[in-house]
Amino acid sequence: MKQFKVYGLGAALVDTEIRVDDALLAELSVEKGLMTLVDGNRRGALLRALDGHLVEAHHASGGSAGNSVIATALFGGECFMTCRVADDADGRIYLSDLRDAGVSFPPPARTDEPTGKCLVLVTPDAERSMNTYLGASEGLSIEQLDPEAIANSEYVYLEGYQVSSETGLAAAIRAREIAENAGVPVALSFSDPGMVEFFPEQFRKMVGAGIDLAFANEAEAKSWTGMSELADAVEAMKDTAKRFVITRGGEGALCFDGEQLHEIPVHAVDAVDSNGAGDMFAGAFLYAITEGEDFPTAGRFAGFAAGTVVSQWGPRLAPEQYGTLRDGFFGKD
């Protein structure tokens, strides 16, 4: 038995979510539905432009891999997270959230950069557009890796956003190599269509000769494989990963278990906020397969969890909701 279900690697960000309309997105020159990296000056300009909206803002710790690992942990699987925060108020909040979820982590880094932040603008159609200032997360590096924890995990989960950072990419590649040498399966989230479009060579380095499990949405899968048709993208994804999941929003998901492709129906809800949906899907899916569930069951559970999170405000559920959701789905008392 391994100590950890999942070892995660990714950016540690504190989210500020604000409801806006499409006209304001256009006025601010924010590209809808994508994650855009911003520097301190651009972040400051956005905050000034949104000053009147900040009184209604929702603040929470975030980051793609962090959200997924916290989900796996709160469903009941012990996890480890390698990230980089500053010893500041936001960093202490972030690490407190990990600790409360039962996620182990290395000590905070000594850095002059503040903890990373993400400004998440949510439109009435529930689409989220992210503007990310990486801060301390930009310096995530090989030095923060814990090889012993990697070897003692059932899965290593890499966040595709690391392709935008030279040191973060190096850390992801090294984590994959350590995992491969220890016989630990490696999972990768493609994270965002913009990342796939603008950093294809970096993704190829992260993937290496191939990974065990990939998570992508339909746009990411098509962009990565260069295919315009979903069926062709599905076939081409087999050259990247032994097994994979392609999420399709309101169309559900496709899960390939290495032998068979399974269609997963959507868990229909009234969507409020899509921020965190993919992260929740991955975290729930990883929890289910590390508990011995097959891909169709894991996919249905992940879709149920993702549907639940988009039906409310924020990238994660309240802590007490995870056990209730898990037991309700699996029929536990």
Side-chain angles (χ1 to χ4, degrees):
M1 292 288 292
K2 299 292 184 74
Q3 179 180 357
F4 302 112
K5 293 289 189 183
V6 178
Y7 179 108
L9 173 72
L13 306 172
V14 175
D15 288 351
T16 298
E17 287 198 342
I18 303 176
R19 290 185 174 98
V20 299
D21 57 26
D22 288 278
L24 185 54
L25 275 189
E27 181 182 329
L28 297 174
S29 300
V30 171
E31 196 162 0
K32 185 173 180 176
L34 298 181
M35 191 285 287
T36 303
L37 293 174
V38 299
D39 60 16
N41 291 333
R42 171 61 170 161
R43 175 179 167 78
L46 287 170
L47 288 174
R48 287 190 295 274
L50 292 163
D51 183 58
H53 298 261
L54 291 174
V55 293
E56 300 176 353
H58 173 77
H59 304 278
S61 61
S64 178
N67 285 337
S68 296
V69 165
I70 285 176
T72 302
L74 288 173
F75 283 129
E78 189 174 354
C79 295
F80 191 103
M81 178 71 187
T82 284
C83 57
R84 192 170 188 264
V85 300
D87 187 11
D88 56 15
D90 284 337
R92 288 187 287 275
I93 289 171
Y94 193 91
L95 295 184
S96 177
D97 278 1
L98 290 181
R99 188 180 299 109
D100 290 346
V103 178
S104 301
F105 52 84
R110 295 182 179 274
T111 173
D112 293 331
E113 290 289 331
T115 296
K117 299 168 180 61
C118 184
L119 188 60
V120 185
L121 306 182
V122 183
T123 42
D125 59 0
E127 184 63 85
R128 90 287 184 271
S129 307
M130 300 182 292
N131 299 266
T132 301
Y133 170 65
L134 289 172
S137 287
E138 190 167 8
L140 182 65
S141 68
I142 290 173
E143 283 70 31
Q144 278 84 56
L145 296 176
D146 189 321
E148 184 177 345
I150 290 175
N152 206 17
S153 299
E154 294 186 32
Y155 268 88
V156 165
Y157 180 62
L158 305 177
E159 172 190 293
Y161 287 122
Q162 294 307 303
V163 296
S164 66
S165 163
E166 183 176 345
T167 59
L169 175 60
I173 293 170
R174 184 58 184 145
R176 172 177 55 76
E177 292 170 345
I178 294 170
E180 289 171 347
N181 290 335
V184 176
V186 176
L188 167 66
S189 166
F190 279 88
S191 295
D192 186 271
M195 294 291 100
V196 179
E197 179 181 358
F198 295 113
F199 298 95
E201 183 57 35
Q202 289 86 341
F203 265 111
R204 280 191 282 272
K205 292 178 180 179
M206 191 182 290
V207 168
I211 53 174
D212 297 280
L213 175 60
F215 293 94
N217 64 28
E218 184 172 346
E220 292 156 4
K222 289 179 177 178
S223 178
W224 170 248
T225 60
M227 300 295 177
S228 59
E229 298 297 326
L230 179 60
D232 296 330
V234 166
E235 286 304 308
M237 281 293 292
K238 296 175 183 178
D239 295 330
T240 295
K242 296 175 183 176
R243 301 174 295 166
F244 55 84
V245 177
I246 300 176
T247 56
R248 306 184 63 209
E251 299 297 319
L254 299 174
C255 300
F256 179 68
D257 63 9
E259 296 181 357
Q260 186 175 352
L261 187 68
H262 305 275
E263 292 192 24
I264 308 301
V266 67
H267 177 66
V269 295
D270 291 327
V272 173
D273 177 8
S274 65
N275 186 28
D279 303 337
M280 175 63 80
F281 191 103
F285 194 93
L286 287 167
Y287 168 76
I289 60 173
T290 55
E291 287 292 305
E293 301 293 344
D294 60 21
F295 264 45
T297 303
R300 290 193 299 272
F301 176 59
F304 180 45
T308 303
V309 81
V310 303
S311 68
Q312 61 186 49
W313 187 243
R316 295 206 296 267
L317 304 175
E320 64 275 8
Q321 288 181 274
Y322 290 84
T324 301
L325 189 152
R326 176 200 63 212
D327 295 346
F329 181 87
F330 290 110
K332 298 180 181 180
D333 295 329

